[in-house]
Amino acid sequence: MSVTRKGETSTATDPHDPHRWWGLVVIALAQLMVVLDATIVNIALPSAQSDLGITDGNRQWVITAYTLAFGGLLLLGGRIADLVGRKRTFVIGLIGFAGASAIGGAATTAGMLFGARALQGAFAAVLAPSALSLLTTTFTDPEERGKAFGVYGALAGSGSAIGFIVGGLLTEYLDWRWCLYVNVPIAVVAVIGAFALLHDRPGHAGARLDVPGVLLGCGGLVAIVYGFSEAEPRGWSDPYVLALFAVGAALLTAFVWWQTRAPKPLLPLHIIKDRNRAGCFLTMMLAVIGMFGLFLFMTYYLQVVLGYSPVQTGLAFLPLTAAIIVGATQISARLLQHVAPRMLMAPGMVLAAGGMLILTRLTVDSAYATEIMPALILMGLGMGLTFMPVFATATAGVAPQDSGVTSATVNTAQQVGGSIGTALLNTIATTSTTAYVAAHLRDPAQRAEVVREGTVHGYTVAIWWAAAIMLLAAVVAALMVTAKPPKHGTPATEPVPESVR
């Protein structure tokens, strides 16, 4: 079924296209590459810092430059995909991402690496919404759609953990630069596959971009994401951080006001006014806050406290990755046709919070097999149960010309959640560690041991907060997401009714 509007040309994807599952492989490769790059360089960071002479104060920019450009430009990338055509922007995003990765891998100075990471983020902001939109328009049959989104949700949830594994292997056995070079062959395969397997309707001829909306919306998101990244080293009460939050809030307020008046809005407000979509966006953001906290603390805990190597650290995340894949593809994808999305999302978040609660019992010598791995498995199952219905529900029933920007909004919730999680939970952990050391340091000769214990104490306090945030996500999903199972609700190919706009 195709949906067209006045002045719009549309060629719907054939729901019986024999190549559509190979097309899913191409889309999945691109999504995996984008998610990987948020974490793959984390383990390589010490080596890159030493090689390029990056200061401790500036090393965060290897991560922040990527997330800042990615999170800040997603809405623009989503709207460009709607205007130009999703297959075209998908290919452009892949080529640009590969080029930026090659520049970063060849970096000879800190500035060159920072610039390449920002360029990666900018192209990721074009690529990610295009990938999700192509998935939405390729799989319209409810049953097939569930399976496809199961794969996509598994990658979205486990990609960051896979990044730690791949980053550890590449850093230990090759060189940190390969954490960036590895994107080039992946992108080449995906580009060839995109030309051969993916289909999409043309873009909107004569459509215009909402330039004031771009400046206000993207400017506001950049300020907010940058504010959270600066809160980590500077502190929440720093005037510069507070100013960034104030500017971001003012710009986003002006953005919402303008979207009610713009002739061609960047983000049509009916997308976020819909109760189910708003619930999905908020659930995604809260879930990722907790998840990024887990990745951050477990990476440091395993390497610094338990003395794991980069490869051992990466492999330690394997149970989490496997559990996410099982939860998304074998449980959520099979059940979503028969149960309401919130019946998967809310229990999923409760399960993930349970995994977090187990980790609050960490000590300086916790055993991996009995105290860490069970928590990772619970977390993974919970994330798999949650992410798949979030993506499927948030993008269901969207008119074709709005699918790119809707997909971008889901990704924006993910990126903003990651930025908040990293800054908020790291600040809580650092503050708790400082207070613990000050209260328990009696003998200077025991300082190293007290600091080690204080570090783990800081992690557990922050993990308590992460568990609470995940429980809040469960409440949001249960109360806000009221959609019926896809078999009983609006077909995926039908646009949002005018009455909710």
Side-chain angles (χ1 to χ4, degrees):
M1 175 181 175
S2 65
V3 179
T4 57
R5 298 225 170 166
K6 187 177 179 180
E8 177 187 329
T9 304
S10 177
T11 56
T13 304
D14 180 4
H16 303 294
D17 180 1
H19 302 303
R20 63 192 180 283
W21 291 106
W22 284 108
L24 173 62
V25 173
V26 173
I27 294 168
L29 266 181
Q31 173 64 15
L32 180 62
M33 188 173 67
V34 168
V35 179
L36 275 178
D37 261 69
T39 56
I40 194 171
V41 297
N42 282 34
I43 292 177
L45 191 52
S47 302
Q49 184 179 356
S50 174
D51 200 9
L52 300 180
I54 303 172
T55 66
D56 286 348
N58 286 333
R59 67 184 175 186
Q60 64 153 329
W61 281 104
V62 178
I63 310 298
T64 304
Y66 180 79
T67 57
L68 190 62
F70 190 9
L73 298 176
L74 267 166
L75 283 179
L76 174 60
R79 185 46 91 192
I80 289 174
D82 288 331
L83 299 182
V84 176
R86 288 174 286 271
K87 179 177 175 179
R88 187 177 301 171
T89 52
F90 183 78
V91 171
I92 291 169
L94 282 169
I95 294 171
F97 196 91
S101 299
I103 294 170
T108 54
T109 65
M112 185 175 174
L113 180 59
F114 299 158
R117 289 288 286 166
L119 198 59
Q120 273 187 308
F123 280 107
V126 173
L127 180 57
S130 303
L132 184 53
S133 298
L134 284 167
L135 186 69
T136 302
T137 55
T138 299
F139 294 92
T140 55
D141 175 75
E143 188 172 347
E144 288 193 345
R145 183 180 171 87
K147 294 176 183 176
F149 273 94
V151 173
Y152 189 90
L155 287 174
S158 64
S160 298
I162 295 171
F164 288 122
I165 299 169
V166 175
L169 290 168
L170 292 175
T171 302
E172 192 155 323
Y173 294 114
L174 289 174
D175 183 73
W176 69 266
R177 296 179 185 276
W178 277 97
C179 290
L180 294 162
Y181 286 144
V182 72
N183 292 321
V184 177
I186 295 175
V188 169
V189 172
V191 167
I192 294 170
F195 279 119
L197 300 167
L198 297 180
H199 308 285
D200 186 35
R201 63 178 179 79
H204 297 271
R208 292 182 300 170
L209 196 62
D210 173 20
V211 177
V214 168
L215 297 175
L216 292 170
C218 294
L221 285 173
V222 166
I224 294 290
V225 174
Y226 185 31
F228 279 113
S229 68
E230 286 295 295
E232 191 176 339
R234 292 172 179 266
W236 294 95
S237 59
D238 185 84
Y240 185 58
V241 173
L242 294 176
L244 284 170
F245 286 144
V247 169
L251 288 173
L252 290 178
T253 301
F255 170 74
V256 172
W257 171 83
W258 171 250
Q259 294 308 282
T260 62
R261 290 159 176 76
K264 297 285 184 181
L266 178 67
L267 175 61
L269 292 184
H270 65 261
I271 290 173
I272 55 176
K273 282 180 179 178
D274 178 79
R275 177 174 179 158
N276 290 303
R277 263 184 218 101
C280 287
F281 298 151
L282 191 52
T283 300
M284 171 63 78
M285 186 173 72
L286 292 170
V288 173
I289 289 175
M291 188 175 75
F292 265 64
L294 173 80
F295 290 150
L296 179 70
F297 299 130
M298 289 311 299
T299 302
Y300 279 98
Y301 177 78
L302 293 170
Q303 288 195 71
V304 177
V305 179
L306 297 187
Y308 282 26
S309 70
V311 170
Q312 287 175 317
T313 301
L315 293 176
F317 282 102
L318 267 178
L320 174 75
T321 305
I324 290 174
I325 292 171
V326 170
T329 62
Q330 301 304 309
I331 302 176
S332 274
R334 294 174 185 272
L335 293 179
L336 186 60
Q337 304 309 310
H338 310 288
V339 301
R342 65 177 171 182
M343 298 304 292
L344 295 170
M345 293 161 61
M349 282 291 89
V350 171
L351 205 59
M356 282 290 197
L357 289 175
I358 293 175
L359 292 177
T360 60
R361 300 168 61 87
L362 286 177
T363 64
V364 293
D365 54 3
S366 290
Y368 175 81
T370 57
E371 297 176 72
I372 298 172
M373 188 170 69
L376 295 180
I377 292 172
L378 281 178
M379 273 284 298
L381 287 173
M383 286 296 176
L385 281 172
T386 304
F387 277 15
M388 182 267 165
V390 164
F391 283 118
T393 306
T395 56
V398 179
Q401 67 268 27
D402 289 335
S403 66
V405 74
T406 305
S407 303
T409 309
V410 182
N411 281 286
T412 300
Q414 208 172 352
Q415 287 302 308
V416 172
S419 298
I420 295 172
T422 302
L424 173 64
L425 298 175
N426 191 60
T427 303
I428 291 170
T430 304
T431 304
S432 300
T433 296
T434 303
Y436 182 94
V437 172
H440 292 79
L441 187 59
R442 303 282 186 268
D443 183 358
Q446 296 180 331
R447 179 174 181 82
E449 183 60 27
V450 172
V451 168
R452 194 160 167 258
E453 292 174 354
T455 299
V456 175
H457 171 75
Y459 294 164
T460 58
V461 172
I463 289 171
W464 271 109
W465 280 87
I469 291 168
M470 287 186 161
L471 287 175
L472 178 60
V475 173
V476 168
L479 297 180
M480 290 187 66
V481 183
T482 58
K484 297 177 182 178
K487 279 188 176 179
H488 310 292
T490 306
T493 48
E494 288 188 11
V496 177
E498 294 290 340
S499 60
V500 301
R501 297 193 176 197

